[in-house]
Amino acid sequence: MSLLREPLLLLSRSRTVKKLVSTLPVSSGIVRNYVPGETTATAVDATARLVADGLTATLDFLGEDTLDAEQAEVTAAAYLALLKQLSAAGLQRHAEVSVKLSAIGQALPDTGHKIALENARTICRAARNAGTTVTLDMEDHTTTDATLATLRDLRKDFPETGAVVQAYLHRTEADCRALTHEGSRVRLCKGAYNEPSSVAFQDRIEVDKSYVRCLKVLLAGQGYPMIATHDPRMVEIASSLASRYGRSQGTYEFQMLYGIRPEEQKRLASSGETVRVYLPYGEEWYGYLMRRLAERPKNVRFFLRSLISKK
Ligand SMILES: Cc1cc2nc3c(=O)[nH]c(=O)nc-3n(C[C@H](O)[C@H](O)[C@H](O)COP(=O)(O)OP(=O)(O)OC[C@H]3O[C@@H](n4cnc5c(N)ncnc54)[C@H](O)[C@@H]3O)c2cc1C
């Protein structure tokens, strides 16, 4: 893995660096590459543009690691407003939402699990009323058990709620097996956090091998796999495994992040695949941007130049 990956991921949690970097306007090139804007209206407009290109979307109101119950409620309310606007724009069949439990209270001491579950329930109910679904993003490994427990609770009333698993964790192949039942929507990604070797593969090749093992489990199972990767090899392997397991297009989907390989997103969609673009928006773009830079250290020079010129 790149030498810059670990320091960038450590910085993604630094409040001091966050203050400095957040002085960049969202319109600056490097931020705008990955985040279309700060308001619900810009997010809905960006969704409409994706849909016009034959794509679907999952929207993330940016924010994470909140230690403030009021902020958690503000985030939940932002999702309700978003769902209303997606529905008013007639986009609900093409757009769902992605939620980080740490943004809606999971990290609060003592009552975190309960508060996050209640907020997630409210969002799931609003999503169902609007005619769409929710996927629970997966964060660092210290939250995996709690997030899967919340998912199980939510699925009692909202079985359509999507799960996320990260191929870099040793445990994930087993988690995939537990999540392959009918109707189970599961996003498989490589994983974006800085994880120790006690829980995660460190070598890129080992992560890729794990990704393929997990793909096999999910595509051979009864659920709805959501294959989240920009890696051309993983996309090719997923396509051939899908035909090997007799999966027709539409019984699984590809997912990519907003602004990354947009031409490939359109190519896959025009070949008949369902392609969902993860679209983050809002003022709290710092942690998200740092994780994207950690995946693409080539962009760090461009980022530093933006920071100095504030453009
Ligand atoms: C829809 C979606 C949802 C996700 N949700 C989660 C989640 O809930 N939890 C989580 O931990 N992670 C999540 N991730 C992030 C994921 O775990 C990886 O960190 C990220 O997708 C990079 O891995 P990759 O599979 O694209 O492969 P990589 O091997 O990292 O990249 C493959 C190729 O993709 C291109 N690429 C990758 N990253 C960038 C970039 N930042 N800028 C420009 N080009 C790039 C490059 O061409 C690169 O060679 C999500 C990813 C996607 C696509």
Side-chain angles (χ1 to χ4, degrees):
M1 299 246 185
S2 153
L3 282 179
L4 278 174
R5 183 174 182 273
E6 198 174 324
L8 285 168
L9 288 176
L10 286 174
L11 286 183
S12 75
R13 292 225 149 130
S14 155
R15 293 191 187 262
T16 319
V17 180
K18 178 179 174 187
K19 255 194 199 153
L20 168 72
V21 173
S22 299
T23 59
L24 270 178
V26 72
S27 57
S28 82
I30 188 73
V31 186
R32 193 42 79 79
N33 269 356
Y34 296 115
V35 180
E38 293 189 331
T39 64
T40 311
T42 52
V44 173
D45 287 350
T47 305
R49 286 195 296 277
L50 293 172
V51 171
D53 280 339
L55 301 162
T56 63
T58 182
L59 286 90
D60 167 27
F61 177 68
L62 289 164
E64 53 199 271
D65 293 339
T66 189
L67 291 173
D68 176 352
E70 243 173 66
Q71 181 55 38
E73 267 179 37
V74 168
T75 299
Y79 275 103
L80 304 194
L82 169 66
L83 286 160
K84 224 179 193 175
Q85 290 199 32
L86 285 172
S87 183
L91 291 166
Q92 70 282 4
R93 273 195 319 109
H94 307 282
E96 62 138 32
V97 296
S98 284
V99 176
K100 281 190 178 40
L101 290 179
S102 80
I104 54 170
Q106 189 187 50
L108 290 163
D110 307 325
T111 50
H113 174 77
K114 196 164 160 270
I115 292 176
L117 178 60
E118 275 323 301
N119 281 328
R121 251 190 232 292
T122 307
I123 299 169
C124 286
R125 198 171 303 116
R128 183 180 286 172
N129 289 340
T132 187
T133 50
V134 175
T135 294
L136 295 186
D137 281 352
M138 190 58 85
E139 301 178 66
D140 72 70
H141 80 278
T142 62
T143 65
T144 310
D145 281 327
T147 300
L148 291 177
T150 302
L151 176 85
R152 279 193 296 277
D153 276 343
L154 283 172
R155 279 186 168 181
K156 287 178 194 152
D157 295 320
F158 305 99
E160 65 274 28
T161 308
V164 177
V165 288
Q166 299 154 315
Y168 64 13
L169 294 184
H170 300 150
R171 60 179 286 166
T172 296
E173 193 180 343
D175 286 336
C176 287
R177 288 188 202 287
L179 285 164
T180 53
H181 50 275
E182 201 175 333
S184 174
R185 299 168 59 248
V186 183
R187 176 195 300 159
L188 173 65
C189 62
K190 288 189 186 176
Y193 297 81
N194 191 24
E195 301 289 19
S197 58
S198 53
V199 298
F201 299 110
Q202 306 293 309
D203 185 312
R204 206 169 255 281
I205 293 171
E206 288 306 317
V207 177
D208 287 358
K209 283 189 191 160
S210 168
Y211 197 96
V212 174
R213 288 194 299 274
C214 294
L215 270 177
K216 286 183 180 165
V217 174
L218 294 176
L219 286 165
Q222 302 299 307
Y224 181 80
M226 304 188 280
I227 303 159
T229 183
H230 314 96
D231 185 335
R233 276 190 59 236
M234 294 304 123
V235 170
E236 205 184 306
I237 292 171
S239 299
S240 61
L241 285 173
S243 14
R244 190 201 292 175
Y245 293 119
R247 289 245 176 199
S248 52
Q249 288 180 328
T251 64
Y252 61 92
E253 69 184 40
F254 286 102
Q255 297 192 341
M256 294 193 189
L257 301 176
Y258 179 87
I260 304 184
R261 305 198 69 207
E263 292 312 316
E264 175 65 359
Q265 296 170 8
K266 285 189 235 164
R267 185 196 68 80
L268 283 167
S270 63
S271 73
E273 299 289 3
T274 303
V275 180
R276 192 173 298 280
V277 177
Y278 186 103
L279 193 155
Y281 73 99
E283 292 172 14
E284 289 289 320
W285 43 261
Y286 173 74
Y288 181 85
L289 175 70
M290 295 308 272
R291 288 195 292 279
R292 302 293 78 82
L293 288 176
E295 286 153 9
R296 190 75 164 166
K298 260 195 221 164
N299 285 348
V300 169
R301 196 145 43 108
F302 179 33
F303 163 68
L304 290 174
R305 214 181 309 135
S306 304
L307 199 56
I308 291 163
S309 65
K310 295 269 190 280
K311 272 200 240 151

